[in-house]
Amino acid sequence: MTFLAATLAFGLCATGALAQSCHEIKFARGASSGEVSGRVSDSAPLCFSFGSGAGQTARVQLFGSQNTCFAIVGVADCRDDYSFVTQRRPYQINVSPLMRSNGFEDFTLRLTIK
């Protein structure tokens, strides 16, 4: 029983640590889209977050690499372009290499909300 409690506590701490490492995608004042750029590898995926209102249309696009994809947690897996109608809640986007690679993959991620 102690092992189960310790495992659960570690899992909750790890989840909190992961959420804290997400970079928020911010828009310039009056803009409907924002972009972030980065580098990912097998051992260093990147996490981004954004919030939205209900009933908006969000489009996420990935540019700059043929070997990267993004997953929107609870919405879509391994895409390079995806649109969906949002709920009023925060979203998390994870960017990672599609296939194993020895080096880094550079990318630009664009989020548009209308």
Side-chain angles (χ1 to χ4, degrees):
M1 187 67 154
T2 303
F3 176 74
L4 179 60
T7 302
L8 180 59
F10 176 75
L12 291 174
C13 290
T15 302
L18 180 61
Q20 290 174 356
S21 66
C22 288
H23 307 282
E24 185 178 2
I25 300 172
K26 297 183 180 183
F27 295 6
R29 186 174 197 91
S32 61
S33 66
E35 290 186 356
V36 291
S37 296
R39 305 179 92 194
V40 293
S41 70
D42 293 338
S43 62
L46 289 177
C47 175
F48 300 94
S49 65
F50 70 96
S52 69
Q56 295 177 297
T57 300
R59 182 177 184 190
V60 181
Q61 298 169 282
L62 192 62
F63 304 98
S65 172
Q66 297 298 314
N67 190 39
T68 56
C69 64
F70 64 82
I72 306 168
V73 176
V75 178
D77 287 329
C78 202
R79 307 290 179 109
D80 64 358
D81 192 335
Y82 189 75
S83 296
F84 65 102
V85 177
T86 62
Q87 298 175 359
R88 182 179 168 90
R89 69 177 186 92
Y91 289 92
Q92 179 178 318
I93 303 172
N94 298 320
V95 180
S96 60
L98 177 62
M99 305 291 282
R100 286 197 169 268
S101 172
N102 291 333
F104 284 93
E105 298 287 336
D106 295 319
F107 70 90
T108 298
L109 183 74
R110 178 183 301 145
L111 170 63
T112 305
I113 300 177
K114 294 184 180 185

